[in-house]
Amino acid sequence: MDGTSLPEVRSTCAYCGVGCGVLLRPDGVGGLAVRGDPDHPANHGRLCSKGMALGDTVGLDHRLLAPRAFGHDVNWGEALQMVADQFSATIKAHGPDSIGFYVSGQLLTEDYYVANKLMKGFIGSANIDTNSRLCMASTVAGHKRAFGTDTVPGTYEDLDQADLVVLVGSNLAWCHPVLYQRVLAARQARGTKIVVIDPRLTASCDQADLHLALNPGSDVSLFNQLLRKIHASGHSDPHFLERTVGFAEAISAAEKDDPSVTGLTTTEIEAFCELWIKTKRVVTIFSQGVNQSSSGTDKVNAILNCHLATGRIGRPGMGPFSVTGQPNAMGGREVGGLANMLACHLEIENKDHRSAVQDFWNAPTIPEKQGLKAVDLFRAVEDGQIKALWVIHTNPAVTMPDADRVKAAIENCPFTVVSDLTAHTDTAQLADVVLPATGWAEKSGSVTNSDRTISRQRAVLEPPGQARADWDILAEIGRRMGWEDAFNYASPVEIFREHAALSSIAGSLGKDFDISGFAEIDDEEYAELAPTRWPVASGKSGDRYFGDGRFFYPDGKARFVPLTHRPPKAEPSIHYPFLLNTGRNRDQWHTMTRSGLSPRLSAHLAEPFVDVNPNDAERLNLNPANLVEVQSSVGQGIFRLRITDAVAPGQVFAPIHWTGESAPSARVDVLVPSVTDPISGQPESKATAVSIRPMKAAWYGFAVSSSAAFPKTDYWATVKTDKGYRTELAGYRHVEDWESTAREWFGLSDAACTSVEDPKRGSFRIAFSDGDNVLAAMFISREPVTLMRDYIATLPEVGLNQILSGRSASDDQDRGPIVCSCFGVGLKSIIRAIEDAQALDVEALGNVLQAGTNCGSCRPELSDLINEYSTKVEWNSKQREQV
Ligand SMILES: Nc1nc2c(c(=O)[nH]1)N[C@H]1C(S)=C(S)[C@@H](COP(=O)(O)OP(=O)(O)OC[C@H]3O[C@@H](n4cnc5c(=O)[nH]c(N)nc54)[C@H](O)[C@@H]3O)O[C@H]1N2
Ligand SMILES: Nc1nc2c(c(=O)[nH]1)N[C@H]1C(S)=C(S)[C@@H](COP(=O)(O)OP(=O)(O)OC[C@H]3O[C@@H](n4cnc5c(=O)[nH]c(N)nc54)[C@H](O)[C@@H]3O)O[C@H]1N2
Ligand code: SF4
Ligand SMILES: [Mo]
């Protein structure tokens, strides 16, 4: 088939809450060409490195093609009946609260709506929570405290119109790259200033006018200082204050707060406050450095307090802006996916709201109290209160705090169902029943992004095997449990219409979320629906909220919250002297089930690492490229050491992406205890007390292989490459027989092999081949293996001798770790171009190497490299080792 003849279809990126529009062109044989949609208001045609690589992730190798129950393939009828019967029997024996659903901000709105309706209206429990508890819960709670409802006041246009953008606990350059590009475009056009508030130096600091590396968890105190100064300098807005309650109390609490807990100098605090106060058009963007904290809700309100005090909210270029992480984190809040909410921003504990929803659904029941929030939900699984669990579109055995404990709880649950694309996730492997769901490019529905814009996601590929859409699976379980009429949906548009109709009731009960304008949308209009920001109702437009001073408390006024600094729960001690911060890499998405399928994405930061400050590394006698053991009160892990002053002394940082499938000893949430914010229930994922020491490895290894390797050793980490896999290894104990060990790890019992051993130096090299093809090659040494791994990883077909020598013909061929994933430009090539003075700015690097000229996500790293290397004539040999 001539693939280019297929039309392009408008859809939405699968990844982050920016919600970029994409144009998808299937090639007719399962592949997909992807480009940015020039007409989408979120991205105007731009995509980041992850969006650009979406086409790499639609392969079917890893997919689950049929339902599985207790280790066997079964047909849908059997699987669904088994699940429905088991749920019904459990409810009968133990009541509705013995069932738990754990769902995801990556579900489409229609999927999410059905899950919530099934649980709250029909099973009759509120024990449905979502991974948004780990993500947006503090923002939801903070918004509700201040505004009376969970409303994001602003729009993306505010970023274009701001004169100051403050990033609080947000690494926007890596996590919302297209929004970051928008901020940089505003900087170019109108000189927008950028302030970053983050204990860590991140890619988002690249163009910042000010970086405040505050002590972890001290944001409340910093914003209390700002509030105090707003008041003291006469910059509060008296007219707007009339629309609020509690200003005096908030000021008096702020005045008592001690700014020294931030660890910032008075000059730094003054500079920030002065800039903020004198710049009217200020947007304060906040994300997980705020939410994922035991004082997360207070942090949110500390920011909101300052915007309320100045009336800088809901007006062009001004406002607090919580950026959502997952593609439908916002949609999940709309349908009431959290255990403490009802649909359409209605309240579970409000009798009128409950009966309105129950009537609308014609539901037999509705819970009167909040359900269990994620951490408590899994505790209830652990202690046997929850006896049947359904996990949909999320991987809690990796991403919940105290992950080993959660893993054990799921494993011991009497009945667990997981709906996923693949049976290979850490969570799916624990399930009794695994249901094959359709994935991003195969499913149809809608999502809402960070600025309340609803966009369509459209199916462009056929579902593989027997995979079915999540809404469809959920609805059929509802029908099989006896609620035929309530779950009698034939397609997503029917669910969308119902949700829209329910929102008109919410609108009439005084709630913000109202899309009743869509209640009568016909199939064709839904098919064609263009991105639309809510509210969508007669007399309402999808514009900003609160500029008019009307809030959602019964008296119409906003609330200040008086706040006092509370430090993170973890206190560094002699046993655990460091504070572990966790977060994201530029090119990986969460547990890598999708981004990990793309070789170009996996080439950026290919191994789990822990960043340690040079002073601490020296004190602990740690050398670059060592493996280190990191231990907390609940678990331990092994990570590659990176020595960098991006983290302050006493703090360390590790990414969240590695799993039992990719690096079992580097699952970071195994280390993080389940400390939560008392109001939102959101876990403190960014402040864990840990100790660090070198791993006393007897040997280190590096391997390339054409198929996936699962070495049974103490440390291994693997990623996909163009040609297969590359794997880092290490072990505590000496291996007697390397050849048979390697055969077992790579599953190559019969392949021909060549090996070279140097017992004196403790080095061993082995390659397996099948005729001319190298199937696997492994390099073992007593010290961390230093060879051109990035070069070797690209060339499994290289001559055997070359592999065994561990060298290529010319050093120039080793491009080093990938920085620009669009064009595969590596660190070493970039450094070479800078040192040869061919390229001394980002534009010039683009001309010479193409680096940074497509999606632009790597531009902050390019400019850092130029700063670092343009002044150095000679390489510091230690640094050369480290790259
Ligand atoms: N590449 C990529 N992008 C993603 C994702 C991904 O997996 N990969 N995931 C998406 C999702 S679901 C989410 S929620 C977002 C998250 O987006 P972000 O919140 O921007 O990302 P994180 O890396 O989790 O954390 C942000 C920053 O908080 C800082 N921080 C830690 N403690 C504190 C503190 O006490 N105060 C302050 N002010 N800062 C602190 C960390 O150093 C870190 O740089 O990203 C989304 N986008
Ligand atoms: N320490 C620490 N822990 C954290 C965080 C942190 O910053 N630090 N961040 C937290 C945050 S903000 C988040 S959002 C979570 C994310 O954590 P998770 O949600 O657990 O991670 P994902 O890898 O996104 O899991 C999504 C799963 O859904 C599957 N899937 C993909 N498409 C579909 C589909 O269409 N249908 C179904 N049924 N399944 C599908 C994927 O294969 C994958 O297994 O992690 C949290 N955990
Ligand atoms: S910023 Fe990147 S990951 Fe996020 S929606 Fe846009 S293209 Fe996708
Ligand atoms: Mo998230």
Side-chain angles (χ1 to χ4, degrees):
M1 190 191 281
D2 173 12
T4 54
S5 63
L6 289 169
E8 271 187 327
V9 176
R10 291 205 136 78
S11 193
T12 313
C13 176
Y15 295 114
C16 83
V18 178
C20 295
V22 288
L23 291 168
L24 306 178
R25 192 193 293 280
D27 65 5
V29 288
L32 203 58
V34 182
R35 68 183 178 106
D37 180 353
D39 298 326
H40 196 288
N43 57 317
H44 303 295
R46 275 192 173 280
L47 293 178
C48 75
S49 48
K50 292 182 297 301
M52 295 296 303
L54 275 166
D56 295 358
T57 66
V58 295
L60 302 180
D61 287 352
H62 66 305
R63 291 293 291 273
L64 177 67
L65 301 175
R68 285 183 75 73
F70 300 96
H72 302 286
D73 281 359
V74 290
N75 66 39
W76 270 111
E78 290 167 309
L80 292 165
Q81 201 56 46
M82 189 185 300
V83 174
D85 288 349
Q86 191 68 40
F87 283 174
S88 300
T90 308
I91 295 168
K92 199 160 169 220
H94 306 283
D97 286 338
S98 63
I99 311 282
F101 284 6
Y102 184 63
V103 303
S104 166
Q106 296 168 66
L107 283 169
L108 303 183
T109 298
E110 292 78 359
D111 304 325
Y112 225 141
Y113 177 87
V114 180
N116 192 50
K117 178 178 177 182
L118 175 60
M119 192 53 150
K120 296 203 178 118
F122 292 81
I123 291 176
S125 167
N127 285 345
I128 171 171
D129 211 35
T130 139
N131 61 4
S132 285
R133 184 69 58 196
L134 318 178
C135 182
M136 304 313 302
S138 297
T139 287
V140 173
H143 281 165
K144 283 170 65 181
R145 280 207 297 191
F147 308 146
T149 184
D150 172 25
T151 316
V152 171
T155 70
Y156 288 162
E157 284 77 53
D158 292 328
L159 303 180
D160 313 332
Q161 297 165 359
D163 293 317
L164 170 63
V165 170
V166 182
L167 301 177
V168 196
S170 155
N171 184 8
L172 204 72
W174 279 14
C175 296
H176 300 87
V178 166
L179 290 187
Y180 184 67
Q181 299 286 341
R182 252 175 116 147
V183 173
L184 293 188
R187 185 174 174 82
Q188 192 97 42
R190 56 190 294 145
T192 306
K193 293 221 161 27
I194 301 174
V195 174
V196 177
I197 299 174
D198 192 313
R200 190 169 68 108
L201 185 83
T202 65
S204 306
C205 300
D206 177 42
Q207 301 224 10
D209 300 278
L210 190 61
H211 169 214
L212 299 181
L214 80 181
N215 284 336
S218 65
D219 304 70
V220 166
S221 196
L222 178 63
F223 280 89
N224 263 345
Q225 293 318 305
L226 176 59
L227 186 68
R228 211 165 58 78
K229 285 186 198 294
I230 288 170
H231 176 57
S233 64
H235 280 83
S236 57
D237 176 340
H239 294 296
F240 204 83
L241 286 179
E242 285 173 16
R243 305 295 314 145
T244 65
V245 173
F247 184 56
E249 291 81 352
I251 291 294
S252 112
E255 279 169 347
K256 287 186 204 114
D257 218 6
D258 172 10
S260 71
V261 298
T262 61
L264 299 169
T265 62
T266 316
T267 323
E268 286 174 309
I269 297 179
E270 295 279 338
F272 166 60
C273 293
E274 200 188 312
L275 188 58
W276 203 99
I277 288 170
K278 80 166 191 222
T279 318
K280 219 167 170 198
R281 286 177 174 245
V282 48
V283 175
T284 308
I285 293 182
F286 55 99
S287 186
Q288 299 315 334
V290 169
N291 293 337
Q292 290 173 339
S293 157
S294 56
S295 61
T297 310
D298 285 355
K299 288 184 179 189
V300 171
N301 286 107
I303 294 168
L304 302 186
N305 279 351
C306 295
H307 281 274
L308 288 173
T310 47
R312 294 175 187 170
I313 187 164
R315 294 156 70 191
M318 304 178 205
F321 206 136
S322 147
V323 281
T324 50
Q326 300 175 91
N328 202 27
M330 189 70 94
R333 284 145 74 176
E334 293 157 13
V335 304
L338 291 160
N340 51 323
M341 296 293 296
L342 271 184
C344 301
H345 289 184
L346 293 168
E347 312 284 332
I348 224 165
E349 276 147 339
N350 179 314
K351 194 164 165 294
D352 296 338
H353 292 189
R354 278 200 311 270
S355 59
V357 175
Q358 187 174 2
D359 288 351
F360 178 83
W361 279 341
N362 200 10
T365 165
I366 198 119
E368 292 183 4
K369 57 176 182 35
Q370 301 189 2
L372 296 169
K373 300 182 176 125
V375 166
D376 295 331
L377 184 92
F378 285 102
R379 286 285 151 80
V381 173
E382 179 184 73
D383 66 22
Q385 278 179 64
I386 287 181
K387 298 183 189 324
L389 174 72
W390 193 356
V391 177
I392 309 177
H393 207 327
T394 174
N395 198 357
V398 183
T399 52
M400 279 290 294
D402 212 348
D404 273 343
R405 188 166 166 185
V406 169
K407 192 173 161 192
I410 299 173
E411 195 163 18
N412 294 327
C413 183
F415 186 66
T416 304
V417 186
V418 169
S419 300
D420 204 295
L421 305 185
T422 160
H424 296 298
T425 73
D426 290 15
T427 308
Q429 289 180 27
L430 308 171
D432 300 307
V433 178
V434 190
L435 303 175
T438 46
W440 165 72
E442 303 140 14
K443 61 195 279 187
S444 180
S446 59
V447 291
T448 312
N449 73 4
S450 296
D451 86 340
R452 291 179 274 113
T453 298
I454 298 172
S455 297
R456 282 295 320 275
Q457 188 172 302
R458 295 181 173 91
V460 290
L461 298 178
E462 286 299 315
Q466 301 175 39
R468 285 170 69 169
D470 288 299
W471 66 266
D472 184 25
I473 303 172
L474 281 153
E476 184 153 353
I477 293 293
R479 294 196 295 273
R480 284 178 188 254
M481 288 178 77
W483 303 298
E484 283 287 337
D485 292 343
F487 296 96
N488 193 15
Y489 305 113
S491 69
V493 62
E494 295 179 8
I495 306 166
F496 186 80
R497 274 195 289 265
E498 181 179 315
H499 183 214
L502 176 52
S503 78
S504 83
I505 296 177
S508 65
L509 286 166
K511 283 292 166 188
D512 56 340
F513 179 71
D514 188 346
I515 56 165
S516 52
F518 288 139
E520 310 279 315
I521 191 171
D522 66 27
D523 296 13
E524 209 166 303
E525 287 165 338
Y526 181 74
E528 297 298 320
L529 184 66
T532 312
R533 191 186 293 128
W534 62 257
V536 182
S538 70
K540 296 180 184 172
S541 76
D543 207 350
R544 301 176 177 87
Y545 277 95
F546 309 139
D548 59 1
R550 285 192 298 155
F551 294 88
F552 288 92
Y553 273 106
D555 62 4
K557 294 185 178 180
R559 300 289 186 272
F560 281 94
V561 182
L563 299 164
T564 320
H565 166 75
R566 275 185 288 121
K569 280 277 156 53
E571 280 192 37
S573 63
I574 298 181
H575 298 301
Y576 301 114
F578 295 94
L579 216 47
L580 169 70
N581 176 5
T582 63
R584 288 152 173 84
N585 286 349
R586 190 191 76 195
D587 286 355
Q588 289 296 352
W589 179 262
H590 299 163
T591 68
M592 295 190 193
T593 57
R594 276 185 307 206
S595 51
L597 303 174
S598 167
R600 53 181 155 154
L601 294 182
S602 298
H604 183 250
L605 303 176
E607 205 185 354
F609 57 83
V610 60
D611 283 344
V612 175
N613 182 275
N615 293 338
D616 292 330
E618 199 178 322
R619 240 176 355 98
L620 297 176
N621 237 334
L622 303 174
N623 295 312
N626 269 179
L627 285 166
V628 289
E629 296 169 353
V630 182
Q631 185 155 18
S632 76
S633 61
V634 294
Q636 76 160 343
I638 304 172
F639 300 79
R640 184 73 63 183
L641 173 70
R642 296 200 318 180
I643 299 178
T644 164
D645 46 23
V647 291
Q651 297 174 32
V652 299
F653 173 86
I656 61 172
H657 306 290
W658 273 269
T659 67
E661 289 279 296
S662 54
S665 70
R667 292 161 53 227
V668 83
D669 272 305
V670 164
L671 299 162
V672 177
S674 314
V675 170
T676 55
D677 177 280
I679 301 158
S680 67
Q682 178 154 357
E684 180 148 75
S685 316
K686 291 190 161 23
T688 297
V690 297
S691 66
I692 296 186
R693 57 173 176 263
M695 175 188 183
K696 293 211 170 77
W699 58 270
Y700 297 82
F702 173 70
V704 289
S705 55
S706 50
S707 26
F710 295 100
K712 292 192 192 70
T713 184
D714 305 298
Y715 173 81
W716 61 272
T718 195
V719 293
K720 207 165 182 329
T721 66
D722 287 329
K723 304 284 166 51
Y725 296 82
R726 54 183 281 186
T727 307
E728 301 282 345
L729 312 119
Y732 289 110
R733 281 169 298 278
H734 289 282
V735 173
E736 289 301 323
D737 179 354
W738 272 115
E739 184 186 321
S740 58
T741 304
R743 283 188 187 282
E744 191 196 326
W745 289 351
F746 297 106
L748 296 170
S749 45
D750 303 323
C753 102
T754 326
S755 62
V756 183
E757 187 164 11
D758 180 348
K760 247 195 0 242
R761 293 168 60 195
S763 82
F764 179 82
R765 294 177 170 189
I766 188 164
F768 295 95
S769 63
D770 136 24
D772 289 341
N773 296 324
V774 177
L775 300 172
M778 184 167 74
F779 308 81
I780 302 293
S781 101
R782 234 180 256 142
E783 300 299 322
V785 179
T786 54
L787 48 74
M788 293 181 294
R789 40 176 42 80
D790 297 287
Y791 173 66
I792 286 172
T794 60
L795 291 178
E797 78 272 30
V798 79
L800 268 185
N801 290 334
Q802 217 173 332
I803 283 199
L804 288 175
S805 74
R807 297 206 62 80
S808 62
S810 146
D811 219 28
D812 286 350
Q813 281 170 287
D814 188 13
R815 60 187 180 179
I818 296 301
V819 176
C820 166
S821 51
C822 293
F823 295 111
V825 187
L827 181 60
K828 292 192 181 180
S829 316
I830 293 165
I831 294 171
R832 257 178 242 126
I834 299 168
E835 289 183 335
D836 295 350
Q838 289 170 290
L840 292 177
D841 60 39
V842 175
E843 300 312 318
L845 265 182
N847 293 336
V848 179
L849 299 170
Q850 278 189 295
T853 57
N854 190 30
C855 77
S857 301
C858 64
R859 291 168 72 96
E861 282 154 286
L862 296 179
S863 100
D864 276 354
L865 289 169
I866 290 166
N867 287 341
E868 187 174 352
Y869 287 96
S870 56
T871 50
K872 291 182 193 164
V873 185
E874 291 224 326
W875 275 40
N876 169 330
S877 64
K878 215 170 171 187
Q879 254 159 349
R880 184 189 275 267
E881 281 290 282
Q882 255 197 310
V883 299

